[in-house]
Amino acid sequence: MEDGFDFQNGQNFDFKEFVFRALSYWKWFLLGLCIVFYVVYYQNIRREFPYTLGASITVQDDKNPLFTATTSLVFNYGGISGKVQEVLLNLTSRKHHEKVVDSLKLYITYLKQGRFYKTDIYKQAPFEFEGKIESYQIIGHAIKITFLNENSFQISYDFGELEEVVLQNFQSKDVKTVNLSEGILSETYNFGDYIDLPFLKGRIIKREQSKIVSQSEYFIRFNNFDSTVSSFMQSYIVRNESNSPLLTVRLTNKNKPKIVDYINTSIFILDRDQLQRKNQYAINTIEFIDKQLSRVKGELTKKADSLNDFMRTNKIFDIESESALLTAKIEEYKDEKELFNEQLLALDLLKNYLNTNNDYSDLQVPSTTGISEGNIGVNVSKIVLLSAEKSKLAYSVRNNVSVFDDLNRQIGALKLVVLENIASEKFNIQSQLKALNSKIYNSEREFSTIPESQQRLRAIEREYLLSQSTYDLYLAKRGEADLIKASNVSDIVLIEPAKDTGQGRNAVNLNIRYVFAFFTVLIPVFLVAFIVTFFDNKLHAPGDLEKLSSIPLLGVIGQNDTPNNLAVFNKSQSAMAEAFRAIRSSLQFMYKKHDLEGSKTVLVTSSISGEGKTFTAINIASVFALSGKRTVLVGLDLRKPKIFDDFELKNEIGVVNHLIGQKSLSEIVQHTKVENLDIITSGPIPPNPSELLISETMDNLIAELKTKYDYIILDTPPVGLVADALELLEYADASLYVVRQDYTQKDMLTLINEKHKNGVVKNISFIYNFYNLKGKYGYGYGYGYGDYANGYHDVVEKKGFFNNLISKFKK
């Protein structure tokens, strides 16, 4: 992939630099990887995997075999689909799970300390805690129980710095917060003793056939009731395939016996509630009949006493046959009237049911027994069938509204027909009742021929017999209701209960965590490398200059490891000295190419301060001087003079003094410890440096220096800060523009690129300073002298293990 810079159009993302930068973070990557892998390993060995067990039930539409055509109490449901949906909703309801948690007291957790965490041991604990019903218990904190022997134990807890704790009453489910006066406690009790602590009230009872180990430690913890219910609801799954009566119940938990108990108790409570609901109609009927029997029985007793008292008072012990026949006739009329009244009652009940209900599949429909009109029974049956069909469609069809509208129209039409039939039948019965009342009235008038005492006796006797008949009727109805209730079975059938058959824990491949951990470290490393590379605007390799500018690269200078800037003088056989000799050779080749004879002038500048401009000027001057050439180094950076310190010279007089006419050339020239090298420092800082550098005196100075020296090195100000160096370019036979690795910003080269492109600056070259063979990222870019040069240098840097490995990899 080619990455680079178009110095006409702008900068592109340097993918190569991004890769090397990312590789340079390998130490941080390894450190992060070690930390994350340790965290993952620590979590893996502490991970407690749960179990998952299940049970299967089916929902049936069991009809009571004792229901016959003469049974007055019947049940009509909406079919299997409606029942399955109802059961599914019940199993997943919070109310149902609250019953299960309450039944098993799962808000109490029995724990035992394991290697890494406290383990839920459920019923494996050798004891059981029986809390006081009306008391509040602390929630969310483990209470330690240490068995001292088979009869006694110690209760202790340490709540540390807590100022308040939360308590809950598990009967009312109320929660309250109380202040904590004492956070540490330790008390000794015997089994069966009542524990009356501020946050724990109850008894600890030893389980049967359990063995107590001395000094064994256990913990009990009360959990918030609502939170406990929510946790079981989240891991409790009920599945049902469409149009199937089979339901599969599954629960995931860390304790298998708890799973078995929870699922089986859940199904038991569901079965109990469903049967209770199925028997509710019969139960309500029995309660109503019991009330009526009590009332009728009282009336019957009073009328029997009245009859006996009348007969004893009037000494009547026999009834004439005519009176008996008349009485029988009236009683027959009364029975017929009672039958009509029952029919009217049945019609009113049916009418009320039709007017007060919209769904006839989920509720019990009153029987049509006793209604002689056949059309009513037929139409009611059709309504029930249509309601059952609507219930099935509601379970299987979700969005087809037209189907439900059609069924509702059919049910509505049949309902109107039934209501009209009821009104017509009631009118007929009421007409017959009027005729029957007339017959009764006429028959009772015949009693006027019977003696008054006998008439009163017959009246009392008729009331008694009527009450007796009503009492017998209610007794029969109650017997039917008891029979229905006793013979009902639940529609929930347990196919396969939850059972521990040795199932293992839910297997999870934890090794995948290491893969995620690897990328968790790798991605941030690459992200940081990308962001830094994207926003990085500095030079990091000599090759960057080829992408940024058309100005040639004259030489590469390494890092200076000497105490001052006199690198060539201090270590003339070092790689640094060889680098400056290479620059000297390149300059001589440039002069020869341009046919320059006599004294030559070299101008050294840079973009900003700190790029090594003065360091480069000093050592280029030194390398020329050491070759036997008369060389002078002129400090023209009048604003920030530097070169005098390295040569242990003073800056009291210099170029400024000569340019303003105070000193002659011979007075400002200073000799150095380097043979053939003279220095002209800048001198005191003037108020107008730019005007001095472009003055005629400056022209005369350069001309005079050319008569005395072979090479003139000009150390000028940075062109990125002031324009002085640009004014001095006319004196230079060759210009050196110093850039520094990991310091010079790329956009700083814009000015010199424009000047070179427009022809203002000629014979200019780059000097790449402070080059690190490893580069910023720990890898070289292919520049340097290699092993060949090392044989001629005083110091050969030894490579470490990782550097050797990287070098072999690069080769």
Side-chain angles (χ1 to χ4, degrees):
M1 178 178 292
E2 287 293 332
D3 306 291
F5 181 90
D6 185 346
F7 45 83
Q8 293 181 347
N9 299 324
Q11 184 180 7
N12 298 321
F13 181 76
D14 194 336
F15 182 77
K16 184 177 181 181
E17 181 182 346
F18 161 70
V19 172
F20 282 137
R21 190 186 298 274
L23 292 176
S24 71
Y25 297 157
W26 65 271
K27 294 180 181 179
W28 295 106
F29 174 74
L30 288 180
L31 178 63
L33 209 59
C34 291
I35 295 174
V36 174
F37 275 9
Y38 175 76
V39 172
V40 171
Y41 171 77
Y42 187 73
Q43 290 179 345
N44 286 351
I45 62 176
R46 292 174 60 91
R47 176 73 179 272
E48 184 181 10
F49 293 103
Y51 301 92
T52 299
L53 303 181
S56 300
I57 61 174
T58 183
V59 182
Q60 303 294 336
D61 190 14
D62 290 326
K63 299 295 185 182
N64 196 321
L66 298 179
F67 289 163
T68 63
T70 59
T71 305
S72 299
L73 302 174
V74 296
F75 297 93
N76 292 316
Y77 289 90
I80 290 294
S81 298
K83 291 182 181 179
V84 171
Q85 187 69 11
E86 178 187 355
V87 170
L88 184 63
L89 293 175
N90 284 337
L91 282 174
T92 55
S93 67
R94 187 175 188 88
K95 181 180 179 181
H96 176 76
H97 286 275
E98 288 177 350
K99 292 180 181 178
V100 179
V101 172
D102 245 340
S103 175
L104 296 174
K105 297 182 180 179
L106 295 178
Y107 45 80
I108 304 178
T109 307
Y110 299 89
L111 305 167
K112 188 172 180 64
Q113 183 64 53
R115 180 183 176 188
F116 300 109
Y117 42 76
K118 293 180 178 66
T119 305
D120 183 2
I121 57 176
Y122 191 43
K123 291 183 178 179
Q124 294 176 354
F127 65 94
E128 183 179 3
F129 181 81
E130 289 186 355
K132 190 176 180 181
I133 295 177
E134 66 275 9
S135 65
Y136 283 79
Q137 314 287 1
I138 187 170
I139 59 176
H141 296 279
I143 299 175
K144 185 178 180 180
I145 299 176
T146 304
F147 291 105
L148 305 178
N149 50 54
E150 293 187 355
N151 298 317
S152 62
F153 56 88
Q154 184 183 65
I155 291 181
S156 59
Y157 57 75
D158 185 356
F159 296 151
E161 301 288 333
L162 290 178
E163 296 182 356
E164 59 182 21
V165 292
V166 180
L167 309 179
Q168 184 169 27
N169 182 292
F170 291 98
Q171 182 181 26
S172 64
K173 308 302 183 291
D174 294 334
V175 177
K176 67 179 182 179
T177 302
V178 298
N179 293 327
L180 187 64
S181 59
E182 185 178 0
I184 301 176
L185 181 139
S186 180
E187 295 286 347
T188 302
Y189 298 91
N190 293 325
F191 283 108
D193 290 350
Y194 179 72
I195 301 170
D196 189 12
L197 298 176
F199 314 116
L200 185 68
K201 299 182 184 296
R203 288 182 174 85
I204 290 182
I205 300 174
K206 181 180 178 182
R207 294 185 189 271
E208 296 182 0
Q209 299 179 348
S210 62
K211 183 179 179 180
I212 301 297
V213 179
S214 179
Q215 300 304 318
S216 59
E217 296 179 351
Y218 297 88
F219 299 86
I220 60 172
R221 184 179 65 214
F222 289 87
N223 304 305
N224 182 276
F225 182 80
D226 291 334
S227 300
T228 304
V229 173
S230 297
S231 65
F232 279 103
M233 289 182 65
Q234 291 174 0
S235 57
Y236 189 90
I237 300 174
V238 183
R239 290 191 175 93
N240 169 243
E241 295 184 5
S242 180
N243 299 324
S244 171
L246 182 66
L247 294 174
T248 302
V249 180
R250 300 182 69 82
L251 178 64
T252 300
N253 195 272
K254 296 177 181 179
N255 189 284
K256 279 200 288 186
K258 183 177 288 189
I259 297 176
V260 172
D261 286 355
Y262 194 94
I263 293 179
N264 291 336
T265 303
S266 173
I267 296 174
F268 168 77
I269 292 176
L270 173 70
D271 181 81
R272 182 194 66 189
D273 292 348
Q274 289 293 316
L275 185 59
Q276 177 74 14
R277 183 182 181 280
K278 193 172 184 179
N279 286 332
Q280 193 61 47
Y281 184 67
I283 292 172
N284 293 342
T285 302
I286 290 172
E287 291 178 355
F288 173 77
I289 291 176
D290 285 342
K291 292 179 181 179
Q292 297 304 315
L293 282 173
S294 178
R295 179 182 60 79
V296 174
K297 184 178 180 180
E299 293 178 357
L300 183 61
T301 301
K302 291 180 181 179
K303 290 176 181 178
D305 293 342
S306 177
L307 177 61
N308 292 331
D309 291 341
F310 183 82
M311 292 178 64
R312 282 194 301 268
T313 302
N314 294 279
K315 297 180 180 181
I316 300 174
F317 302 103
D318 192 11
I319 304 297
E320 297 176 356
S321 58
E322 183 178 355
S323 297
L325 291 174
L326 185 60
T327 300
K329 188 175 182 180
I330 293 174
E331 291 300 328
E332 182 180 356
Y333 290 152
K334 292 286 187 180
D335 290 340
E336 190 174 356
K337 181 180 179 181
E338 183 67 24
L339 181 59
F340 285 142
N341 286 329
E342 286 184 5
Q343 291 183 13
L344 286 174
L345 178 62
L347 290 171
D348 288 334
L349 287 174
L350 182 58
K351 179 180 178 181
N352 181 63
Y353 181 83
L354 292 175
N355 288 329
T356 57
N357 290 277
N358 295 322
D359 186 3
Y360 310 103
S361 60
D362 293 332
L363 299 173
Q364 295 80 16
V365 180
S367 171
T368 57
T369 303
I371 299 177
S372 59
E373 174 59 36
N375 291 331
I376 295 176
V378 172
N379 290 329
V380 168
S381 298
K382 289 181 180 180
I383 291 175
V384 172
L385 290 175
L386 288 174
S387 296
E389 183 179 357
K390 179 182 176 182
S391 178
K392 292 178 181 179
L393 290 174
Y395 184 72
S396 58
V397 178
R398 302 293 183 189
N399 300 318
N400 196 341
V401 180
S402 61
V403 175
F404 295 103
D405 292 339
D406 183 58
L407 289 174
N408 289 331
R409 283 193 295 271
Q410 295 183 47
I411 292 173
L414 288 171
K415 186 167 137 184
L416 291 175
V417 172
V418 172
L419 291 175
E420 290 177 359
N421 291 336
I422 290 173
S424 177
E425 184 67 10
K426 284 181 65 177
F427 179 80
N428 293 334
I429 292 174
Q430 289 170 354
S431 299
Q432 295 180 50
L433 276 175
K434 289 181 180 179
L436 188 60
N437 287 331
S438 178
K439 291 180 180 179
I440 293 173
Y441 175 77
N442 292 332
S443 297
E444 289 177 344
R445 286 184 60 189
E446 295 180 10
F447 273 98
S448 59
T449 59
I450 302 175
E452 182 179 354
S453 60
Q454 291 186 355
Q455 290 183 28
R456 291 184 61 189
L457 177 63
R458 290 304 179 189
I460 295 173
E461 191 176 32
R462 283 196 307 273
E463 291 177 0
Y464 172 79
L465 292 176
L466 180 59
S467 297
Q468 181 66 48
S469 175
T470 303
Y471 186 78
D472 292 341
L473 176 63
Y474 279 126
L475 281 178
K477 297 295 183 183
R478 194 187 191 286
E480 290 181 9
D482 283 333
L483 184 62
I484 292 172
K485 179 184 176 184
S487 60
N488 267 339
V489 295
S490 173
D491 293 328
I492 307 300
V493 179
L494 180 61
I495 302 298
E496 184 178 351
K499 186 177 181 182
D500 181 6
T501 58
Q503 297 93 330
R505 295 183 183 272
N506 298 342
V508 178
N509 183 13
L510 293 181
N511 291 330
I512 193 67
R513 287 185 168 189
Y514 291 103
V515 177
F516 286 116
F518 177 82
F519 285 102
T520 300
V521 179
L522 182 65
I523 291 175
V525 168
F526 273 92
L527 185 60
V528 170
F530 176 83
I531 293 174
V532 173
T533 303
F534 185 81
F535 290 102
D536 187 12
N537 193 34
K538 295 181 179 180
L539 297 174
H540 298 297
D544 292 344
L545 292 172
E546 299 174 3
K547 306 170 187 176
L548 294 168
S549 177
S550 60
I551 300 174
L553 175 64
L554 186 67
V556 177
I557 304 172
Q559 294 183 6
N560 179 25
D561 56 358
T562 61
N564 53 37
N565 287 330
L566 301 178
V568 173
F569 179 76
N570 292 333
K571 294 184 178 181
S572 60
Q573 300 300 319
S574 64
M576 178 72 69
E578 288 297 328
F580 281 103
R581 290 188 183 99
I583 295 173
R584 180 187 64 187
S585 299
S586 299
L587 286 173
Q588 289 173 342
F589 176 77
M590 182 186 301
Y591 296 144
K592 184 177 181 180
K593 182 179 179 181
H594 291 86
D595 298 328
L596 294 176
E597 300 292 340
S599 179
K600 288 89 175 178
T601 306
V602 180
L603 182 144
V604 183
T605 187
S606 64
S607 300
I608 58 174
S609 178
E611 293 174 304
K613 169 181 58 64
T614 300
F615 166 76
T616 303
I618 289 174
N619 285 281
I620 287 178
S622 298
V623 79
F624 275 117
L626 290 174
S627 67
K629 302 296 183 180
R630 293 173 301 163
T631 307
V632 62
L633 175 60
V634 184
L636 296 180
D637 190 353
L638 305 184
R639 294 176 177 82
K640 195 174 182 182
K642 291 182 180 179
I643 60 175
F644 54 92
D645 281 340
D646 297 294
F647 292 98
E648 299 177 356
L649 301 175
K650 296 182 179 180
N651 192 37
E652 295 176 356
I653 59 173
V655 174
V656 173
N657 300 98
H658 179 74
L659 294 178
I660 63 176
Q662 289 182 347
K663 300 290 183 180
S664 64
L665 176 60
S666 60
E667 290 177 318
I668 63 174
V669 173
Q670 301 185 59
H671 301 291
T672 68
K673 54 187 174 181
V674 180
E675 189 178 357
N676 298 321
L677 178 60
D678 292 338
I679 296 292
I680 301 176
T681 61
S682 60
I685 301 176
N688 55 344
S690 297
E691 288 75 8
L692 291 177
L693 293 177
I694 62 175
S695 65
E696 184 178 353
T697 308
M698 185 67 191
D699 296 338
N700 297 331
L701 173 63
I702 298 299
E704 188 175 357
L705 288 173
K706 286 186 177 183
T707 62
K708 295 182 178 183
Y709 294 97
D710 298 321
Y711 287 95
I712 303 168
I713 311 301
L714 304 179
D715 180 24
T716 64
V719 298
L721 300 179
V722 293
D724 299 355
L726 296 176
E727 301 294 339
L728 296 172
L729 285 174
E730 61 178 293
Y731 302 117
D733 297 320
S735 300
L736 302 181
Y737 196 95
V738 180
V739 296
R740 180 174 174 176
Q741 179 173 296
D742 302 333
Y743 187 84
T744 302
Q745 295 187 3
K746 297 175 181 179
D747 52 9
M748 291 180 179
L749 305 181
T750 303
L751 175 62
I752 198 66
N753 283 336
E754 290 293 330
K755 297 295 183 181
H756 181 262
K757 180 180 178 182
N758 297 333
V760 176
V761 177
K762 298 180 180 178
N763 298 331
I764 189 169
S765 302
F766 282 122
I767 298 296
Y768 190 87
N769 185 32
F770 213 75
Y771 173 61
N772 181 6
L773 185 61
K774 296 180 180 180
K776 182 179 175 111
Y777 319 114
Y779 299 89
Y781 286 88
Y783 291 84
Y785 299 97
D787 294 335
Y788 176 82
N790 290 336
Y792 297 89
H793 300 158
D794 294 336
V795 179
V796 179
E797 182 180 357
K798 294 182 179 180
K799 295 183 178 181
F801 171 77
F802 288 105
N803 289 331
N804 289 328
L805 184 64
I806 293 170
S807 299
K808 292 179 180 179
F809 175 76
K810 290 173 64 178
K811 291 179 180 179

